[in-house]
Amino acid sequence: MYLRNYPADILKVVLSLLVVLGHINSPYTYSIFSFHMPFFFILSGFFLDKNVIFKNIIVKDSKRLLLPFLVFSILGFVTEILKRIILSRDLSSIFEVLIDAYFFINSEAAYYGFALWFLPVLFLGKQMSFYMLNQRFLLFSFFLSFVLMTELDVVRYIVNLPFGVGKAYFVCSYIIFGHLYFRFSATNKNAAWIFSVLYLLLFIDKLPYFDIGGGQVPGNISQILFPIFLFCLVYPLLTLFRFSLFSKVLSFVTPSLMLIYLLHPYTNNISFVFFNVFLGDNLWYATFFGSVLLLSPVIFLKHKFSHWKIFEYV
């Protein structure tokens, strides 16, 4: 029988809400971008099974990650083109948007699928991490090269390589850490907490900034390690709570997190137009709650009609 990892579930729910908030012009956007996407990659490493057949992982992740990327990126382009036509905006830059979205897998692509970069990068990152976890020499070589290229300030250029290859290389460090942490976490968690707190105090004045999709990542290893130490502090704390009391709520919400990620650019925009354009004020908190409210029916639809074919992939 499969036992849910409740701390991981609650963390994914919180991170999904932070993604919605992070893509709204709020006072907390910079702080959110200091850790939220690395956390997603770390959690993906929790569930990476290095003992399965490599071909099976490719097939499974192609359906779960690449198929939604293709479908929702096309939907994003259609929506963007229709919006520009209706609002009489320039269409000449659409080709540039296509290059950013599909060639560079860049979140700077100015269309409704700007957040979709995460899906192909996670796909590539998982395949690369799987292969390295099964080849110890490659694993050692990866970490050695990663530290070296970070200290030489080369990683910030690598993340902008075409087809998301550089971004996948960068996030492998978090995926592999998540895999190893989940299986070999230290028994003396108190010492890990103390060490993590001391390390995080180094960033009390200036947090690192991770816009991985946009190709903006920290230029030194101490900043790149920030999300890892923060995770080592947060995750053990979550294990102290009895989230099993909320098991029904978590089992209701977590299957819809992919849909929330895919649809939040649309609900953010609708909520922004309503609260900021019609009401004429920069109500970022209203935009956030309005977007979450608009996403709520998605959760109910997924729960009620989970047997539908379309929900097998999202």
Side-chain angles (χ1 to χ4, degrees), residues 113-157:
F114 67 89
L116 297 176
W117 67 270
F118 173 74
L119 302 178
V121 169
L122 178 59
F123 173 83
L124 288 175
K126 287 183 69 176
Q127 316 315 314
M128 292 165 66
S129 298
F130 175 90
Y131 197 74
M132 286 188 285
L133 284 166
N134 283 285
Q135 302 287 338
R136 292 187 178 181
F137 174 76
L138 285 178
L139 188 61
F140 174 78
S141 300
F142 164 74
F143 281 114
L144 186 63
S145 66
F146 187 85
V147 172
L148 180 62
M149 285 191 282
T150 301
E151 291 305 311
L152 293 174
D153 202 20
V154 177
V155 166
R156 289 195 288 184
Y157 299 98

Side-chain angles (χ1 to χ4, degrees), residues 246-260:
F246 306 98
S247 59
K248 289 186 178 180
V249 176
L250 290 173
S251 62
F252 186 76
V253 175
T254 50
S256 304
L257 295 182
M258 172 67 89
L259 275 173
I260 290 173

Side-chain angles (χ1 to χ4, degrees), residues 11 47 180:
L11 196 51
F47 309 104
L180 298 176

Side-chain angles (χ1 to χ4, degrees), residues 222-293:
S222 63
Q223 291 180 320
I224 290 173
L225 289 174
F226 173 83
I228 288 177
F229 282 98
L230 183 60
F231 187 90
C232 289
L233 179 66
V234 171
Y235 186 79
L237 289 175
L238 290 175
T239 62
L240 299 177
F241 295 94
R242 295 183 60 189
F243 287 113
S244 57
L245 298 174
F246 306 98
S247 59
K248 289 186 178 180
V249 176
L250 290 173
S251 62
F252 186 76
V253 175
T254 50
S256 304
L257 295 182
M258 172 67 89
L259 275 173
I260 290 173
Y261 187 86
L262 294 171
L263 296 176
H264 82 274
Y266 302 91
T267 57
N268 276 10
N269 194 56
I270 294 170
S271 185
F272 173 82
V273 170
F274 180 79
F275 286 107
N276 294 271
V277 175
F278 288 131
L279 299 183
D281 201 358
N282 185 25
L283 303 173
W284 64 266
Y285 48 88
T287 301
F288 170 68
F289 286 112
S291 184
V292 172
L293 186 64

